[in-house]
Amino acid sequence: MSLTTTHVNGTYGIGESIPLFVTFNMPVVVVGAPIIEMSTNNVECYTDRCNDATFVGGSGSTVLEFEYVIKFGDSSSALDYEDVNSLKLFSSWGSLVGADTPSIMVMSTTPETHADLTLPPPGNKLTVISPCSLVGCYHALAIQTDGLGVASVTTDLADGLYTWGTEINLYVKMTGPVNVVGVPELLLDLPLAGSAKYVSGSGGSMLRFGYLSMSTDYTLQLSYVDEYSLVLPPGSSMTSVTDSARHAVQTLAKPYEAGSLSAAHKIMITGSQPKVTNMYVGGTEGCTTYRGDAVSKAVYGVGQKVELYMEFDQTVRVPSGVPRVLLNTGAYATYVSGSGTPTIKFEVVIEPGTGAGVVGGLLDVAKLEIDNEVDSVDVSNSMIVANSDAIVIFADTVHLPSAGSSGSLSANCDIEVNTAVVKVQKVEWLQKSGSYAGGEELSFKLTFAQKVQVGGTVTMELYTGEDTIPGIASYLSGGQGETEIIMKYMVGTGDVSSDLDYVSRDSLKLDTLELDSSGERKNYIMRSSTELIQHVDLQLPVRGGVASLGRSGTVVLDNSAAKVLSVAVDVLAGAYTIGDRMVFSVTYDKTVYVETGAEPKLYLNANKSGDLYGAPATFIASSSGSTVLQFEYTATADDEELTALDWVCSGFCLPGSLDGVYNPRPLEVAGECDVYSLDAGGNRVCSSVGLPVRDGLGGKAITITQTVPKVVEAKFLTAYYQWSYGVGQEIEFDVKFDHAVSVVVGAEPEVELNVKKDDVGAVSQTRKAAYVSGGGALGADTLRFKYVTAAGDSIDSLEYSSVDALTGTIKRFANSAPEIVCDNTLKEAYSEGSLGFHMKVGVDTSVPFVEGVIPLKEPGVYVAGEVVVFVVRWNLPVVVSGSPKLKLNAGTSTTLYATYSATWAEEDSNFDIRETDAVFVYTVLDSDVKSDVLAHWGVGALELNGGSVLRKSTTPSVAVDLSVRDLGDADRSLGHVHGQSLSFFPKKVEVVMRDLWHEDARDLEVSLSHGGERALLVEKLGEENGPGVLSGVQSYSATFGEPQEFFASMKSSGNLGTGGSDVHMDRHRGGLGYDYLVGDMADENLALRGVSMQSSTKYNAHAGLAADGNVDGYFSRGSVSHTGGHGTDDKNPFWQVRLENEVNIGGVRVFNRQLQQSSDEVQVVTVVAPGKQPMGGYKLGIEIGGANFTTGMLDVAAPAMISDHAHGSNSSMQYMLESMTGKLGTVDVSRTTLVGGGDWRDNWMGYQYSITFTGSPGDMAKVKVAERNFTVVTDTIVDIETVTHGVKNKFYNYKDGVAGTGGGLDYEYVQELYPFWVLVFDSTCPQPEKITGGFDEVLKQAVWFQEVTDRTSAEGRVINLAPNVKGQVVRVAIKGDRYLSLAEVQVFESRLNTMNQHVGGTPIPERPLTQPWIGEDSLDHKWKNVQFGGEWRLEIRDLNKFGSTRGVVGGADVGCGGAGCGGGGAGKEMNLESNGVGKIGDWMLMITDGAGVVHRYYSDQMATVVTLPKYGELFFTETSAEDEGYSHFNGRGADEGGKLEEVVGLGRKLAPCYGVDTTGLNGVDSVGSHRYCPLNYGVGGVQSTRKEGGVAVVNRVAKERMLVYRPFKDFLGVDHFTYKNINGVTEGEDVEVRLEVKNCRRYERGVTKGDVGNHALCSCARTEQNLFGDSALCPAAISSTCGAAATSVEEYPFMCRMCTGGALAGYSSECKVEIEKAVALLEGKGMCDSSVPKDGYPSCREESTAMYEREPFVLYGVGTDYFRGGRGVQKVHMPLVGIQ
């Protein structure tokens, strides 16, 4: 929403109307009269409406118009509205009386949705793309109402007519003296906009403005434009002399009204007389429109249209008549067009001349010009005038540019007019002299004196040996505006001629009598002109003359000569180059011979050689004496680039060719008869020199090029590998050229690769990839290379070192002798076509360490024969050989071993065995001693047992780290817990908040805490103004859960806490809670496969660290990126990832770096003995930089610090450690005496030293025992433990204070990320890093972008894109000169459904299990390295503090600001309440551990039934353990053993029915102590005073339990019972549950079950035998559900993307988790229940047996207040659990 005006910036005064326009994002309809409260600072404003802008119109559109009329007392330097809530539905409460309810709603057939009326904040807008207020939209409308303004406008000119060049003084009289700054302007009403500029008068009340009239100014009444014509350009002002803050009103009197210029004066202005400045003829020949440019001569003949253009010095009009211009040919050119422009057009067509001097005849002229001897322009019956409607000024048509002078026709054009008849000048052969035989084509050319136009049939008679039957040559081409035409002739089989020529001068023939439908000649050769009028002279040059056909060459016609049938070549179609050899075969129709010594040549169209056009192929002499002559040709450096190799063209060489070309004969011989045949008598007959029509060498597409081959792309053959590749891995890639190439033996190519980077991101190690194949004897366009990874390699994305990384000699392939050396230049690294552009192939040669040990069994007791599987998982892929063992601890003295199994597999499991895993299997034996625990041994548990575990690669060689931790070692100070049992650590964390309701979701912040970590689930809902699709969307109100029906949250009178009814308060607390599931995104993170880069790099924090799957934001842990520039070095830093393919991008998650405290290493040395004090001494040692250091002998009771020494002894622990190496710096030591028990072990005694290495920053090696000397107490032990690992943390650290202060820390390391931008580029812009021009130019190329301005307390930000945004590059950028440092960037195809980006209105909906809400923080990553045992805390905070207020207007929730809020300000009393209200039933925590086992935990929440129903019974039923947390009981059947009984004596009894006891006669049975009455339940006499049902015996239920209600026989109607919640030890109020019994059942989806049927995915439901149902049907069901045409794919997006393949064995654990969720969702909806009747259940909507009403008042007092909700009836008082 934005607010604008059409008024220009300036100062306005009393009574002026300001139009205001409010723009919505969709059409709205208005009911009532909304207003906008303007900020006018009017102290005289006492009424509600004095500062209101009133509604004018616009209902039904996106723009509503308002009007504000300036009043006395208004004042503003820049008019704007008051606040974001200034758009109101009505001006005052009183205006609502008797009126329709005012509203502004989204337009529809039946408008229901209220528009958000929140305006943008007043003042400057937040960002360039934010909605704007009046000021934010760059409007500066000042208001001043104290009288300082314009009084009048006058001039010192007398009334009259003035011409151009007149100086005009205008005087603006002010009502008081003003100071003028800048140059104000007065806009004048003239044909061409003009303005009078301020000249003088500052400091007084009369201001002078000056204007110099122009030649184009015409007016009968000089005036300014309108009342707003006095304008102040930027930097100008008019203010009071006495008060510079007081601006003068600029509004003038309206034109022609009192005080205006036009009312006081009659000033007329006229311009200059138009003059001709330039003349020329239109067209491209013979003329130029540019003065002084050289022109080429053109000849115009009969029929040519002359378009004469006459330019004037100003715009002219031709209001009447047709002006003419007389040319020096004697013809008039008449006016055609141009009126209203500076240029007018005349036309004339050249007619045939009748001879000079003949009256009326036209003349040929050497140069076209106007007739300067008379008045050339004839306007006797027409006008050419200046462009003025007020004054008529005739153009000067007499004084024209004289001939030859500048601007004249003859100076601009060189056009000869020649009307003579066109003649044939020359006829010539297009073939060379020689013999030609029947069937061969000949061509010749006729050249005319002028350009001609040919139409119809034109022929020429040739003398071919018979005088009476000449050969007929036909017209072929040309003569279409050219001087030449081409004719062709096919030699006949009987033709004979020793020198072919035409028959006579009249041999050029056409039928002049054949006419077309319009009566015109159909066959013609005419002079080419605009209009075809003049026929040419058809007479040919004298036969035998120099210009005749016979003289142009000797063409012999001899049908006995041998002729060529075809020409072929021995190579295949394709491109050839220098060094390629080919043999041509010329086939004759008879045997031919070549004169001995003669060397005939076959000329090819390959190059220019000497005087002959073409490259000669050399004759192979051995082919003489056959029907086929062979020629050999090898392409050379002289060959031109050729797209189609053939013999040279002589005549009609290409099929369908329209012209012949004069070339040498393709088959060239020195003598005329060097190639001959023999007749029957053995006489020589010279062979024909012609070749057949060229056919592209038999249709082959052969090209010859000298193009130097270049690299097209380099591409990995080795696939992306999520763990990167280790030592010994063979990585293959191809380098592709644009032509086939050959590798020169002995100079084989190599490619230099970057394999390691240093601390600033620069390459510190390169190695060579070796040539493998391609480019051999047959050539190839692709060369293959192989690189074998070596120790020390470490790079996130492999790439070659530079564009020159490809070395060696590579030549363009040729079949004979390759010569062209290839250009080995590669594409720029990480640019399109480079090795690392589209695929990320990483190398990590570090030693794999154990990530964890995972037992694939749930806790329980296992007996002999059962298999227990342990999976040892390393951080990198491994290969196992032999029989390694895993030592197990069963809590007994017997050592057990699980043995490695290479074949174990379990399809029916949701656990994936990865390449990083080794499976160890233990089978329980009969001989095993009973044990309560079976786990890995801890340190030393992995034993190779003669086998090996190596880092996986093509050639494995690196042994892995076998270290595992003790079960009790969960230290995570380094950010991770490796080598530990992953059964104790969560793989996935999800939270279900059940029955959550709150009247304003904006107020709540929800967080989850455990193990020192805290994650935000919900924060700032509806208040996003930065990221994603919510850009610029103002805060809106929504609820958690469904609010109940109530009028409003208002008191009946007064303020909160005074008066009003309790009923209103109770209603305010009503609401139906929803269940909200919050988890993590299950979709694939596309960024992991992408190639990342950043603008610069520092501290070894390369771009790949922000796309490595690790979101840890602590820089010291090595997974945070960091740019390296600052200021001009990296003005606008960016990080980006290029995805493998262009995809739909739904959401991006950006994890920010985190500030981390520096911490000192803390180690504890414990010296103890069992049951007694230890005695003796020991030495400690430590390894630093590969060297070992040892202390002196330490006494078991050594003092802690030097200050504890007695008599100066140097025996303290501090002294010994500090003097040990001289490198440890200061050490702080404390000592504790152990006397048994306590924190260590029972009955052990001794000392414990806590050592803090304050002088050695960073993580240190553990101190070890170097020597023991315990001769007296020999069982003394020394135990050493690291309590806290040191964190050096050079970057982003803070210690002993605030980050960036003290300690020499640099603040620039901790700069904030915000604000930052997210940009998306599609495949049309694959390299945005190459865009120049700065940040704004980059922004223009993005298909989507968003600035993220708000910082939250979350660890990162979620940005959802607009729908259907396709992208391939995602960029995070900063506009400015800060550093950019990121922990992780994730890119998803799906949207990240966080609640704070919910845009679906209210209430916040529940989401299905298959698509949970996404937390603001990543729950999985937050607790990945924290054991899940212990306390978890869900905290819900209401951020709307007591005392804040929120007003309610027209039923819409709006903010309240200003002094009147909360206290009911004067004149604006509002009914207000403080704080929102809500509830939560309980919450559930779901943890999936490392083995894929799901654990569910519930809050300490119980419920107890207080009173029983009156007309039915209650039963408890517990949900299935399989579906715990997800099931929905469908209401059929009940566990008889779970019935709730009433307390004896506290029941509620009814007396027997009225009337005679007729048991057995009328079928009335007894029920307990009374008899039921089907027609009058509840009306019988009551034998107790209880209004409720009987009191239930003590009962409590926790977890997921359900109550089943079973009504008494034949009971229909309303029943109820009560219960209360117990949260810990706190009991809530009683809650009533209302029930209505009908003869029907309702299905919660609103669709009867019978219409739906069982879903195909139900075949994946868990059974006792199979975890994922039927192994054949389940995959098929997933395939059908997720098919391209399936509509349900939208319901299961994550399952459909993760479950690929056709078998359960191929499904990942993530896929199987999604399958479980989908099945649980379907079962909960009753869509997997086969017992549903075929026709479904009846609908309750049509039944009226009972209503939602209470029983008669006989049983209930009228004082109890209830209301009805959307899903049942509840009492209004609800326990507010967990709301702070």
Side-chain angles (χ1 to χ4, degrees), residues 281-303:
V281 173
T284 58
E285 293 184 316
C287 278
T288 176
T289 57
Y290 301 98
R291 324 297 181 262
D293 287 357
V295 295
S296 58
K297 186 179 184 67
V299 178
Y300 284 11
V302 175

PDB file of all heavy atoms in Angstrom, residues 281-303:
ATOM      1  N   VAL A 281      16.277  15.463 -52.990  1.00  0.00           N
ATOM      2  CA  VAL A 281      15.404  14.420 -53.528  1.00  0.00           C
ATOM      3  C   VAL A 281      15.548  13.182 -52.650  1.00  0.00           C
ATOM      4  O   VAL A 281      16.659  12.761 -52.337  1.00  0.00           O
ATOM      5  CB  VAL A 281      15.766  14.093 -54.992  1.00  0.00           C
ATOM      6  CG1 VAL A 281      14.963  12.888 -55.490  1.00  0.00           C
ATOM      7  CG2 VAL A 281      15.491  15.303 -55.865  1.00  0.00           C
ATOM      8  N   GLY A 282      14.425  12.591 -52.283  1.00  0.00           N
ATOM      9  CA  GLY A 282      14.462  11.408 -51.425  1.00  0.00           C
ATOM     10  C   GLY A 282      14.961  10.189 -52.165  1.00  0.00           C
ATOM     11  O   GLY A 282      14.882  10.086 -53.386  1.00  0.00           O
ATOM     12  N   GLY A 283      15.493   9.216 -51.427  1.00  0.00           N
ATOM     13  CA  GLY A 283      16.026   7.999 -52.028  1.00  0.00           C
ATOM     14  C   GLY A 283      17.471   7.814 -51.632  1.00  0.00           C
ATOM     15  O   GLY A 283      18.103   8.669 -50.999  1.00  0.00           O
ATOM     16  N   THR A 284      18.037   6.683 -52.038  1.00  0.00           N
ATOM     17  CA  THR A 284      19.407   6.353 -51.613  1.00  0.00           C
ATOM     18  C   THR A 284      20.441   6.689 -52.667  1.00  0.00           C
ATOM     19  O   THR A 284      21.638   6.604 -52.410  1.00  0.00           O
ATOM     20  CB  THR A 284      19.498   4.853 -51.295  1.00  0.00           C
ATOM     21  OG1 THR A 284      19.123   4.114 -52.467  1.00  0.00           O
ATOM     22  CG2 THR A 284      18.555   4.484 -50.156  1.00  0.00           C
ATOM     23  N   GLU A 285      20.019   7.029 -53.894  1.00  0.00           N
ATOM     24  CA  GLU A 285      20.977   7.274 -54.966  1.00  0.00           C
ATOM     25  C   GLU A 285      20.974   8.741 -55.359  1.00  0.00           C
ATOM     26  O   GLU A 285      19.922   9.366 -55.491  1.00  0.00           O
ATOM     27  CB  GLU A 285      20.651   6.432 -56.197  1.00  0.00           C
ATOM     28  CG  GLU A 285      20.841   4.936 -55.977  1.00  0.00           C
ATOM     29  CD  GLU A 285      20.598   4.161 -57.259  1.00  0.00           C
ATOM     30  OE1 GLU A 285      19.618   4.468 -57.967  1.00  0.00           O
ATOM     31  OE2 GLU A 285      21.392   3.263 -57.547  1.00  0.00           O
ATOM     32  N   GLY A 286      22.139   9.279 -55.568  1.00  0.00           N
ATOM     33  CA  GLY A 286      22.288  10.597 -56.140  1.00  0.00           C
ATOM     34  C   GLY A 286      22.101  11.749 -55.189  1.00  0.00           C
ATOM     35  O   GLY A 286      22.290  12.905 -55.566  1.00  0.00           O
ATOM     36  N   CYS A 287      21.714  11.526 -53.947  1.00  0.00           N
ATOM     37  CA  CYS A 287      21.437  12.617 -53.017  1.00  0.00           C
ATOM     38  C   CYS A 287      21.947  12.291 -51.624  1.00  0.00           C
ATOM     39  O   CYS A 287      22.168  11.139 -51.266  1.00  0.00           O
ATOM     40  CB  CYS A 287      19.930  12.884 -52.916  1.00  0.00           C
ATOM     41  SG  CYS A 287      19.296  13.903 -54.254  1.00  0.00           S
ATOM     42  N   THR A 288      22.126  13.345 -50.859  1.00  0.00           N
ATOM     43  CA  THR A 288      22.412  13.210 -49.440  1.00  0.00           C
ATOM     44  C   THR A 288      21.591  14.241 -48.690  1.00  0.00           C
ATOM     45  O   THR A 288      21.399  15.354 -49.163  1.00  0.00           O
ATOM     46  CB  THR A 288      23.906  13.396 -49.120  1.00  0.00           C
ATOM     47  OG1 THR A 288      24.078  13.331 -47.710  1.00  0.00           O
ATOM     48  CG2 THR A 288      24.415  14.744 -49.614  1.00  0.00           C
ATOM     49  N   THR A 289      21.115  13.889 -47.527  1.00  0.00           N
ATOM     50  CA  THR A 289      20.394  14.858 -46.691  1.00  0.00           C
ATOM     51  C   THR A 289      21.346  15.511 -45.707  1.00  0.00           C
ATOM     52  O   THR A 289      20.932  16.324 -44.892  1.00  0.00           O
ATOM     53  CB  THR A 289      19.273  14.148 -45.906  1.00  0.00           C
ATOM     54  OG1 THR A 289      19.835  13.092 -45.132  1.00  0.00           O
ATOM     55  CG2 THR A 289      18.240  13.573 -46.858  1.00  0.00           C
ATOM     56  N   TYR A 290      22.617  15.150 -45.800  1.00  0.00           N
ATOM     57  CA  TYR A 290      23.619  15.723 -44.902  1.00  0.00           C
ATOM     58  C   TYR A 290      24.421  16.770 -45.648  1.00  0.00           C
ATOM     59  O   TYR A 290      25.039  16.481 -46.666  1.00  0.00           O
ATOM     60  CB  TYR A 290      24.538  14.624 -44.342  1.00  0.00           C
ATOM     61  CG  TYR A 290      23.786  13.577 -43.592  1.00  0.00           C
ATOM     62  CD1 TYR A 290      23.445  12.382 -44.213  1.00  0.00           C
ATOM     63  CD2 TYR A 290      23.368  13.798 -42.283  1.00  0.00           C
ATOM     64  CE1 TYR A 290      22.721  11.412 -43.543  1.00  0.00           C
ATOM     65  CE2 TYR A 290      22.643  12.842 -41.608  1.00  0.00           C
ATOM     66  CZ  TYR A 290      22.313  11.651 -42.243  1.00  0.00           C
ATOM     67  OH  TYR A 290      21.601  10.709 -41.563  1.00  0.00           O
ATOM     68  N   ARG A 291      24.415  17.973 -45.184  1.00  0.00           N
ATOM     69  CA  ARG A 291      25.044  19.096 -45.862  1.00  0.00           C
ATOM     70  C   ARG A 291      26.544  18.842 -46.060  1.00  0.00           C
ATOM     71  O   ARG A 291      27.253  18.495 -45.120  1.00  0.00           O
ATOM     72  CB  ARG A 291      24.886  20.394 -45.051  1.00  0.00           C
ATOM     73  CG  ARG A 291      23.555  20.518 -44.325  1.00  0.00           C
ATOM     74  CD  ARG A 291      22.349  20.563 -45.277  1.00  0.00           C
ATOM     75  NE  ARG A 291      21.131  20.708 -44.531  1.00  0.00           N
ATOM     76  CZ  ARG A 291      20.330  19.691 -44.222  1.00  0.00           C
ATOM     77  NH1 ARG A 291      20.652  18.488 -44.600  1.00  0.00           N
ATOM     78  NH2 ARG A 291      19.221  19.904 -43.543  1.00  0.00           N
ATOM     79  N   GLY A 292      26.989  19.053 -47.257  1.00  0.00           N
ATOM     80  CA  GLY A 292      28.418  18.990 -47.531  1.00  0.00           C
ATOM     81  C   GLY A 292      28.947  17.607 -47.834  1.00  0.00           C
ATOM     82  O   GLY A 292      30.092  17.458 -48.236  1.00  0.00           O
ATOM     83  N   ASP A 293      28.136  16.525 -47.631  1.00  0.00           N
ATOM     84  CA  ASP A 293      28.628  15.183 -47.928  1.00  0.00           C
ATOM     85  C   ASP A 293      28.726  14.987 -49.439  1.00  0.00           C
ATOM     86  O   ASP A 293      27.902  15.511 -50.213  1.00  0.00           O
ATOM     87  CB  ASP A 293      27.688  14.119 -47.355  1.00  0.00           C
ATOM     88  CG  ASP A 293      27.800  14.045 -45.844  1.00  0.00           C
ATOM     89  OD1 ASP A 293      28.640  14.777 -45.304  1.00  0.00           O
ATOM     90  OD2 ASP A 293      27.053  13.271 -45.235  1.00  0.00           O
ATOM     91  N   ALA A 294      29.742  14.210 -49.871  1.00  0.00           N
ATOM     92  CA  ALA A 294      29.895  13.925 -51.296  1.00  0.00           C
ATOM     93  C   ALA A 294      28.783  12.983 -51.746  1.00  0.00           C
ATOM     94  O   ALA A 294      28.350  12.112 -50.996  1.00  0.00           O
ATOM     95  CB  ALA A 294      31.253  13.305 -51.565  1.00  0.00           C
ATOM     96  N   VAL A 295      28.305  13.179 -52.990  1.00  0.00           N
ATOM     97  CA  VAL A 295      27.248  12.320 -53.512  1.00  0.00           C
ATOM     98  C   VAL A 295      27.708  11.712 -54.817  1.00  0.00           C
ATOM     99  O   VAL A 295      28.522  12.274 -55.541  1.00  0.00           O
ATOM    100  CB  VAL A 295      25.931  13.113 -53.732  1.00  0.00           C
ATOM    101  CG1 VAL A 295      25.378  13.610 -52.410  1.00  0.00           C
ATOM    102  CG2 VAL A 295      26.144  14.268 -54.698  1.00  0.00           C
ATOM    103  N   SER A 296      27.175  10.499 -55.123  1.00  0.00           N
ATOM    104  CA  SER A 296      27.493   9.860 -56.399  1.00  0.00           C
ATOM    105  C   SER A 296      26.390  10.191 -57.399  1.00  0.00           C
ATOM    106  O   SER A 296      25.226  10.369 -57.017  1.00  0.00           O
ATOM    107  CB  SER A 296      27.591   8.336 -56.212  1.00  0.00           C
ATOM    108  OG  SER A 296      26.371   7.833 -55.685  1.00  0.00           O
ATOM    109  N   LYS A 297      26.747  10.258 -58.661  1.00  0.00           N
ATOM    110  CA  LYS A 297      25.804  10.664 -59.702  1.00  0.00           C
ATOM    111  C   LYS A 297      24.764   9.577 -59.919  1.00  0.00           C
ATOM    112  O   LYS A 297      25.062   8.391 -59.857  1.00  0.00           O
ATOM    113  CB  LYS A 297      26.551  10.932 -61.007  1.00  0.00           C
ATOM    114  CG  LYS A 297      25.682  11.502 -62.131  1.00  0.00           C
ATOM    115  CD  LYS A 297      26.529  11.744 -63.362  1.00  0.00           C
ATOM    116  CE  LYS A 297      25.729  12.406 -64.467  1.00  0.00           C
ATOM    117  NZ  LYS A 297      25.309  13.772 -64.137  1.00  0.00           N
ATOM    118  N   ALA A 298      23.518  10.005 -60.152  1.00  0.00           N
ATOM    119  CA  ALA A 298      22.437   9.087 -60.481  1.00  0.00           C
ATOM    120  C   ALA A 298      21.749   9.597 -61.743  1.00  0.00           C
ATOM    121  O   ALA A 298      21.657  10.803 -61.978  1.00  0.00           O
ATOM    122  CB  ALA A 298      21.441   8.996 -59.332  1.00  0.00           C
ATOM    123  N   VAL A 299      21.280   8.641 -62.576  1.00  0.00           N
ATOM    124  CA  VAL A 299      20.593   8.995 -63.819  1.00  0.00           C
ATOM    125  C   VAL A 299      19.139   8.597 -63.679  1.00  0.00           C
ATOM    126  O   VAL A 299      18.825   7.440 -63.418  1.00  0.00           O
ATOM    127  CB  VAL A 299      21.232   8.305 -65.033  1.00  0.00           C
ATOM    128  CG1 VAL A 299      20.465   8.654 -66.308  1.00  0.00           C
ATOM    129  CG2 VAL A 299      22.694   8.713 -65.173  1.00  0.00           C
ATOM    130  N   TYR A 300      18.245   9.564 -63.831  1.00  0.00           N
ATOM    131  CA  TYR A 300      16.806   9.312 -63.784  1.00  0.00           C
ATOM    132  C   TYR A 300      16.271   9.344 -65.203  1.00  0.00           C
ATOM    133  O   TYR A 300      16.577  10.261 -65.980  1.00  0.00           O
ATOM    134  CB  TYR A 300      16.069  10.362 -62.954  1.00  0.00           C
ATOM    135  CG  TYR A 300      16.224  10.197 -61.452  1.00  0.00           C
ATOM    136  CD1 TYR A 300      17.149   9.313 -60.909  1.00  0.00           C
ATOM    137  CD2 TYR A 300      15.420  10.923 -60.579  1.00  0.00           C
ATOM    138  CE1 TYR A 300      17.282   9.167 -59.534  1.00  0.00           C
ATOM    139  CE2 TYR A 300      15.533  10.789 -59.217  1.00  0.00           C
ATOM    140  CZ  TYR A 300      16.481   9.908 -58.685  1.00  0.00           C
ATOM    141  OH  TYR A 300      16.613   9.770 -57.345  1.00  0.00           O
ATOM    142  N   GLY A 301      15.461   8.350 -65.525  1.00  0.00           N
ATOM    143  CA  GLY A 301      14.893   8.288 -66.855  1.00  0.00           C
ATOM    144  C   GLY A 301      13.383   8.335 -66.817  1.00  0.00           C
ATOM    145  O   GLY A 301      12.766   8.614 -65.777  1.00  0.00           O
ATOM    146  N   VAL A 302      12.808   8.028 -67.981  1.00  0.00           N
ATOM    147  CA  VAL A 302      11.358   8.074 -68.123  1.00  0.00           C
ATOM    148  C   VAL A 302      10.706   7.131 -67.112  1.00  0.00           C
ATOM    149  O   VAL A 302      11.127   5.989 -66.956  1.00  0.00           O
ATOM    150  CB  VAL A 302      10.944   7.706 -69.559  1.00  0.00           C
ATOM    151  CG1 VAL A 302       9.419   7.631 -69.682  1.00  0.00           C
ATOM    152  CG2 VAL A 302      11.501   8.717 -70.547  1.00  0.00           C
ATOM    153  N   GLY A 303       9.658   7.648 -66.465  1.00  0.00           N
ATOM    154  CA  GLY A 303       8.915   6.838 -65.493  1.00  0.00           C
ATOM    155  C   GLY A 303       9.418   6.957 -64.075  1.00  0.00           C
ATOM    156  O   GLY A 303       8.790   6.464 -63.137  1.00  0.00           O
TER     157      GLY A 303
END
